Amino acid sequence: MKSNKTKLNNGCMKIFKMLNLLYEDKAYYEDVVEIFKDEVDEKTVNHLQVVLNKTLNALRVFGIKVKKEGNKFRLDSSIYSIKFTPDDLKSLSILNDSAKNFPDDEVASDLKEVIHNILLRMDSDDRTAFDNYNSNYDFSFYHASLKKQIEECKKYCKQNHPLDIVYKNKGKEIRVKCSPKDVIYDSKMAYLEVCETIKNEKIIIALNNILSMMPLPCSSSPKEATSTVVYKLKNRLAKSYKPKDNEYIRDYNEDGSIIVVNKGEAFDQLLDRLMRYSYSCEIINPKTLRNRMIELINETLDNYNE
Amino acid sequence: MKQFMKDNTITYNLMSFTGFKSLLIFTMLLEGPKSYYDLQKAISEHQYLHETVSIDTLRIYINTLKAMGCNVEKTTTNRVAKYYIKSQPFELKITDEQAKSVLKVYKAIAKSITLTDFIALQSFFEKFARYITNEDLKNKFENISPLNNIDSSIIKDLLKYAKNNTEITVLYNSPNSGKKNITILTDRLGISNNKLYVYGINSEYNNYSSFLVSKIIKIVSVNLQKSKLTVPELTVLYELKNDIENFEPLACERIIEKTHDKLVVEIKSKNKFDIMQRIMSHTSKCKVISPEFQKEVIACLKQMKEGYFEK
């Protein structure tokens, strides 16, 4: 009768278990020893160490560099490597430099881990080229000074804690009760993305525009911005327009215009963007946003009525 | 090990031969399909091994690789079974959280790097998207850049031609008039509204225009004769109030006056349309000072307003 049990090679398993630990960067001495614990022979006390050394030597002879740093083995070159172009190395170097200064510790740590894992899969020539590469960018982010505020906002986002926020917008003070969603960044500023509680409208607030931020007593179920905006594009823009991630083209009209449906974009940002399209754009729905656009055009025109 | 370094001799006391064979089989199957015979030959001819290994033993090695997380596939060529590793446990894995963080950093730095580096970063993101399992995030990784779906060789060529102000003819898929050849005296490449444009003089109309690079099907010809790009640069002054601490000047802008609540900014460009878009994006925070351009902005705003009331 045939046995269902597949025969496996013990030595092969051990070296791959060891490689697994090395690739996860978790090859602590005690965990590595655990792999070889069945090699303990009472007659030869050092047998385990001998087997471990023979395994490490097999890796080294094969060309895989393993270093012992304190209580841990580290992989210094890879059994398999991802192929990198000079442009890849440059990109990695740019990301590496940005991670050094990024004001959000969690994001920076995630990025550093990705880079570290990539380096573990790089051959030694690429590694040397990467080590010698300098991206020449200074990513000392302006918003590094907002680190404390970023951490506070992130905490509220994680707890989904409803907030009462007072912030400055175009010279006016605005108060909003909202559910915080995420902290986002551009090259100059960090922003808090929130969902306004009553209208379910997404609002993006620059952190340095926040005048006060108070947690409200009750916790709420997570709110998602559900606002939908419909607008029309005309002229040349209608022919070349590429919808954004959160958009689709609903209609292609006979006169060449198109009707775009936008979901969940923050109204203030959307208004600023649509203003750029000038008379090639008209907001159809909702009426409130259409009126806000008319108001914004009037306010801008008022700048010239002196 | 010292002995090995000295005379390159391997003994059973030095290393695990089983471990070494495992690594050899693993890398061979990773390179591509190999038959049992290929593996036997490689082991018997290897300078450190010189061993005869049976097919049964090789089968055990392959089963062990499978047990350790390798996806070993079988293929048959000329009735000979061959094996290869389709995926393996040491491949890079980017978690959802890590992918989201990388995207956040990318958005933060995208406007601060040169176009050449932007192109490099785009291809880097496309390459590493395959290590993300979440389809939505993978899609974001692949499509985040405005250079997405544009042939990178066209971008590289355009960069080269624009640097030397070379006149080129391109096959262009015009939104208005369909596919046609356009001759452009190239000036520069730039990203506006998350789209890549080539700027230059359109020979047909002899005006300075911008052309979407995504609409360029191919570069038809290159005029190697030296051309001179002489386009007057337009200078416009505008005033910015409210939220001025978050103002980020473009490369073509400079702040010429600053008070606690107001900035006076000078913008220079050969392209009037670009200036108009920039001014409009500042909405009610902005007032154009330069008289001629001010008239155009007012006319544009009035036309916008009419659009909302004419029916």
Side-chain angles (χ1 to χ4, degrees):
Chain A
M1 203 169 147
K2 244 185 169 179
S3 162
N4 283 333
K5 207 173 170 191
T6 311
K7 259 190 170 179
L8 301 176
N9 183 312
N10 196 27
C12 178
M13 278 174 68
K14 281 177 181 160
I15 204 159
F16 272 83
K17 279 182 184 169
M18 170 110 187
L19 277 170
N20 251 331
L21 287 179
L22 286 166
Y23 272 104
E24 285 171 9
D25 202 19
K26 287 175 186 165
Y28 295 99
Y29 183 76
E30 55 271 26
D31 295 321
V32 172
V33 161
E34 188 69 17
I35 300 171
F36 299 96
K37 69 178 179 197
D38 63 333
E39 303 279 355
V40 176
D41 183 341
E42 282 176 14
K43 288 176 205 161
T44 52
V45 183
N46 287 331
H47 190 61
L48 186 145
Q49 193 58 47
V50 170
V51 177
L52 172 58
N53 283 341
K54 281 169 82 171
T55 305
L56 285 167
N57 285 344
L59 291 170
R60 285 173 187 143
V61 172
F62 200 78
I64 304 163
K65 291 180 196 157
V66 180
K67 267 201 286 193
K68 188 156 187 276
E69 287 174 4
N71 191 31
K72 196 175 177 184
F73 294 99
R74 276 186 193 277
L75 205 54
D76 216 21
S77 70
S78 184
I79 187 171
Y80 100 99
S81 51
I82 299 172
K83 287 188 175 61
F84 289 86
T85 63
D87 274 357
D88 289 337
L89 296 175
K90 194 203 292 181
S91 304
L92 203 56
S93 171
I94 292 170
L95 291 172
N96 194 38
D97 283 350
S98 63
K100 285 177 195 158
N101 291 308
F102 207 76
D104 183 328
D105 291 341
E106 225 170 307
V107 169
S109 145
D110 279 343
L111 180 60
K112 281 177 190 163
E113 206 176 325
V114 172
I115 294 170
H116 176 71
N117 288 340
I118 290 174
L119 294 181
L120 284 177
R121 285 149 182 91
M122 202 179 254
D123 73 25
S124 54
D125 288 349
D126 286 343
R127 184 70 178 265
T128 311
F130 173 77
D131 287 342
N132 293 325
Y133 205 93
N134 184 356
S135 81
N136 288 326
Y137 285 109
D138 174 18
F139 290 121
S140 44
F141 288 91
Y142 296 94
H143 45 257
S145 57
L146 297 167
K147 205 165 174 168
K148 227 175 148 184
Q149 224 176 333
I150 290 171
E151 291 309 317
E152 193 186 1
C153 290
K154 280 178 66 107
K155 187 183 80 188
Y156 289 134
C157 290
K158 272 187 186 158
Q159 295 169 342
N160 192 37
H161 210 123
L163 297 172
D164 183 334
I165 298 178
V166 180
Y167 68 99
K168 265 190 314 179
N169 185 19
K170 291 174 184 156
K172 291 175 196 159
E173 266 188 30
I174 295 172
R175 177 175 222 123
V176 67
K177 284 196 172 96
C178 58
S179 169
K181 307 307 295 178
D182 197 6
V183 179
I184 52 177
Y185 306 87
D186 67 17
S187 53
K188 171 102 181 177
M189 186 41 62
Y191 303 84
L192 178 63
E193 182 187 316
V194 301
C195 177
E196 196 268 346
T197 316
I198 299 164
K199 294 183 208 155
N200 277 6
E201 179 191 326
K202 190 196 276 185
I203 303 174
I204 293 171
I205 309 166
L207 290 200
N208 65 340
N209 281 347
I210 295 178
L211 302 172
S212 71
M213 182 164 60
M214 295 289 293
L216 293 168
C218 59
S219 69
S220 68
S221 55
K223 284 228 169 236
E224 290 300 333
T226 53
S227 51
T228 299
V229 177
V230 181
Y231 63 89
K232 181 168 152 180
L233 291 178
K234 298 175 274 190
N235 310 325
R236 213 178 146 189
L237 183 62
K239 287 173 182 145
S240 61
Y241 189 71
K242 191 176 156 198
K244 311 283 172 213
D245 282 350
N246 54 332
E247 291 184 332
Y248 66 89
I249 298 174
R250 195 187 68 188
D251 297 315
Y252 291 86
N253 297 331
E254 276 180 9
D255 61 1
S257 63
I258 56 170
I259 304 294
V260 182
V261 178
N262 176 298
K263 284 191 175 184
E265 188 165 342
F267 281 178
D268 285 333
Q269 275 68 21
L270 181 64
L271 283 175
D272 288 356
R273 177 161 74 84
L274 299 188
M275 271 294 272
R276 234 175 17 213
Y277 303 158
S278 69
Y279 48 80
S280 294
C281 173
E282 180 190 342
I283 295 175
I284 314 281
N285 270 322
K287 282 275 175 296
T288 48
L289 198 68
R290 184 181 163 91
N291 291 338
R292 261 171 78 177
M293 180 56 122
I294 295 169
E295 205 179 304
L296 191 59
I297 298 168
N298 282 333
E299 274 174 23
T300 314
L301 267 172
D302 283 348
N303 285 338
Y304 301 96
N305 292 340
E306 283 167 359
Chain B
M1 200 65 191
K2 276 181 195 159
Q3 191 62 31
F4 168 69
M5 302 292 275
K6 206 170 149 191
D7 57 16
N8 208 24
T9 308
I10 301 284
T11 64
Y12 278 93
N13 290 333
L14 174 76
M15 71 163 192
S16 155
F17 273 62
T18 308
F20 194 88
K21 272 179 275 177
S22 310
L23 298 172
L24 183 65
I25 295 167
F26 173 78
T27 47
M28 282 183 76
L29 298 189
L30 210 55
E31 281 164 11
K34 300 285 179 304
S35 65
Y36 285 131
Y37 174 73
D38 295 332
L39 296 172
Q40 282 173 319
K41 192 167 178 273
I43 293 169
S44 75
E45 289 177 0
H46 195 282
Q47 58 168 329
Y48 301 143
L49 300 174
H50 298 296
E51 258 187 60
T52 309
V53 182
S54 70
I55 288 177
D56 279 346
T57 306
L58 287 175
R59 199 173 285 130
I60 292 170
Y61 272 102
I62 290 174
N63 284 337
T64 313
L65 291 180
K66 284 181 188 170
M68 295 315 296
C70 296
N71 180 4
V72 184
E73 296 271 325
K74 186 179 169 184
T75 170
T76 308
T77 321
N78 297 332
R79 293 190 199 165
V80 177
K82 292 189 173 189
Y83 300 87
Y84 66 97
I85 293 175
K86 202 177 170 190
S87 65
Q88 36 92 6
F90 313 129
E91 265 178 16
L92 179 67
K93 290 173 198 84
I94 301 176
T95 66
D96 290 1
E97 280 314 310
Q98 288 169 343
K100 281 179 199 163
S101 295
V102 176
L103 289 172
K104 272 191 180 184
V105 173
Y106 170 84
K107 281 181 186 164
I109 64 170
K111 283 185 186 163
S112 315
I113 59 175
T114 65
L115 189 60
T116 322
D117 289 346
F118 203 76
I119 295 167
L121 215 52
Q122 147 89 8
S123 75
F124 178 84
F125 271 66
E126 275 173 13
K127 186 172 184 171
F128 281 86
R130 63 180 283 245
Y131 300 106
I132 299 167
T133 44
N134 181 315
E135 281 303 317
D136 188 37
L137 284 168
K138 186 187 266 191
N139 205 23
K140 279 191 178 153
F141 245 67
E142 286 167 339
N143 299 313
I144 188 168
S145 153
L147 313 182
N148 166 47
N149 289 333
I150 303 177
D151 182 353
S152 63
S153 65
I154 287 190
I155 302 176
K156 281 180 185 159
D157 286 345
L158 289 173
L159 274 169
K160 185 176 70 190
Y161 297 136
K163 199 177 168 189
N164 300 317
N165 294 143
T166 307
E167 188 177 70
I168 57 169
T169 301
V170 297
L171 178 61
Y172 192 76
N173 191 5
S174 164
N176 286 330
S177 41
K179 284 179 192 168
K180 63 175 184 181
N181 280 348
I182 297 179
T183 301
I184 311 165
L185 180 54
T186 54
D187 178 23
R188 67 181 178 92
L189 264 77
I191 292 169
S192 171
N193 194 18
N194 214 32
K195 284 177 200 154
L196 181 67
Y197 291 90
V198 55
Y199 295 83
I201 296 175
N202 179 346
S203 303
E204 194 181 342
Y205 302 108
N206 202 27
N207 64 352
Y208 192 87
S209 319
S210 55
F211 304 88
L212 271 171
V213 176
S214 60
K215 299 278 178 192
I216 295 177
I217 299 162
K218 63 175 178 177
I219 297 170
V220 179
S221 64
V222 178
N223 181 354
L224 294 172
Q225 277 184 333
K226 194 98 182 124
S227 318
K228 206 175 173 198
L229 187 90
T230 45
V231 181
E233 202 166 41
L234 194 63
T235 304
V236 172
L237 291 183
Y238 67 86
E239 204 178 87
L240 206 64
K241 55 184 186 184
N242 299 328
D243 210 16
I244 57 169
E245 57 274 32
N246 292 338
F247 173 71
E248 195 174 0
L250 301 175
C252 59
E253 288 179 324
R254 71 185 179 104
I255 297 167
I256 57 169
E257 202 183 307
K258 187 175 182 177
T259 61
H260 72 285
D261 64 345
K262 201 174 80 179
L263 296 176
V264 176
V265 183
E266 180 190 77
I267 180 167
K268 283 185 172 189
S269 173
K270 290 167 187 154
N271 193 336
K272 194 196 269 186
F273 180 72
D274 278 358
I275 299 182
M276 183 61 90
Q277 280 218 324
R278 176 69 169 165
I279 300 285
M280 296 303 275
S281 72
H282 291 316
T283 65
S284 59
K285 291 183 289 187
C286 168
K287 180 185 175 183
V288 173
I289 302 169
S290 307
E292 280 308 307
F293 208 79
Q294 191 185 81
K295 280 182 202 159
E296 294 197 31
V297 171
I298 294 171
C300 179
L301 285 163
K302 283 183 175 167
Q303 201 175 344
M304 280 177 83
K305 198 173 163 181
E306 280 162 16
Y308 278 91
F309 294 106
E310 68 179 23
K311 275 284 164 274

